[in-house]
Amino acid sequence: MSEKEKPKYGKLIEGAEQLSLGISIVVAVLIGIGVGMLMSNWFNTPWLLWVGVSWGIGGAILNVYKAYKKNVASLDELKDDVRYKKYQQPKDDDENDDDK
């Protein structure tokens, strides 16, 4: 999506999306605990609580992974940007030539 197509408050929305990662982790675990407690009460099986906790933790890990992949993709877009070319690391071949 180009800069012209982004909504007026696009930067604000992107910032709020990244801030919500911590909240989404807590919510995922709480939902997992809630589902586990509900299943435990319905089926009178106490170990189902831990199944729900596991689902919640798995959902939280999935949220972190998705946020990581999104950040990597956004940084890959900046990799070839002309403004940041001067900040690239020198190649290993150039460093080895000085030692000879």
Side-chain angles (χ1 to χ4, degrees):
M1 184 181 277
S2 69
E3 289 293 317
K4 292 180 182 180
E5 294 176 14
K6 286 189 178 180
K8 182 177 180 181
Y9 298 108
K11 293 286 186 185
L12 180 67
I13 293 170
E14 288 175 7
E17 187 176 286
Q18 291 184 2
L19 284 175
S20 68
L21 178 61
I23 295 169
S24 72
I25 291 171
V26 172
V27 168
V29 172
L30 289 177
I31 288 173
I33 291 171
V35 168
M37 288 176 69
L38 188 65
M39 288 190 319
S40 178
N41 288 337
W42 276 355
F43 301 116
N44 291 328
T45 311
W47 58 267
L48 284 177
L49 169 67
W50 297 107
V51 171
V53 170
S54 300
W55 284 341
I57 292 172
I61 291 171
L62 182 64
N63 288 340
V64 170
Y65 179 73
K66 286 180 181 179
Y68 168 75
K69 292 302 264 182
K70 187 173 183 178
N71 282 336
V72 166
S74 68
L75 289 175
D76 283 343
E77 291 175 6
L78 293 176
K79 180 176 63 174
D80 297 325
D81 196 348
V82 176
R83 294 178 289 182
Y84 304 111
K85 286 289 188 185
K86 63 182 177 181
Y87 297 111
Q88 289 183 348
Q89 295 287 333
K91 293 183 180 178
D92 290 337
D93 296 338
D94 296 339
E95 292 175 1
N96 291 338
D97 292 340
D98 296 335
D99 296 337
K100 291 181 181 178

